[in-house]
Amino acid sequence: MSPRRNRPRGGESPDDSARVGGDRYGGGGRSEEWRGEEWSVRPVSGASAMGKRYRCPGCDQEIPSGVPHLVAWSEYGGVDDRRHWHKACWNAKDRRTTRVQRSRNAPRY
């Protein structure tokens, strides 16, 4: 067995790896423009919301408790306007169309 390496590989500094981890699991937020509005987007680790479940507006699927995801809200919205998204759904929000609910016999046009 080889000894454990305590120094970073490839010229990384310990500060760089700590910063990346913080951005990934609930570090700072960022601001994005979508549909002509400014949106605040913040990653959430999911650990603080144990027992809570959210529904992603992008795919209409449930986000189980403990799963890392994003929280997005309009800059001019309040606390009630926050929405919890899967990261992939937020990244694909411009490529998705609105889901139209049809009955079984409805035409597809």
Side-chain angles (χ1 to χ4, degrees):
M1 176 185 275
S2 61
R4 182 177 145 206
R5 287 180 59 120
N6 288 328
R7 57 184 179 266
R9 297 181 189 201
E12 297 174 350
S13 69
D15 296 335
D16 292 341
S17 61
R19 183 177 42 83
V20 170
D23 290 344
R24 183 174 178 195
Y25 294 112
R30 64 184 184 273
S31 182
E32 293 184 21
E33 187 173 340
W34 182 47
R35 294 185 179 172
E37 291 185 63
E38 284 294 318
W39 288 74
S40 294
V41 181
R42 187 183 70 185
V44 178
S45 67
S48 62
M50 292 305 286
K52 293 184 179 180
R53 295 180 178 201
Y54 302 103
R55 185 158 303 271
C56 175
C59 65
D60 202 33
Q61 299 295 314
E62 190 174 273
I63 302 172
S65 64
V67 173
H69 58 280
L70 298 173
V71 176
W73 67 93
S74 173
E75 287 288 328
Y76 300 107
V79 173
D80 295 334
D81 295 330
R82 291 183 299 184
R83 296 292 173 255
H84 295 254
W85 292 71
H86 294 108
K87 185 175 181 181
C89 293
W90 177 259
N91 292 338
K93 66 189 175 297
D94 293 326
R95 295 187 305 265
R96 294 182 185 266
T97 60
T98 57
R99 297 206 183 264
V100 178
Q101 299 291 326
R102 297 182 183 96
S103 67
R104 295 175 102 184
N105 301 343
R108 295 208 172 257
Y109 54 88

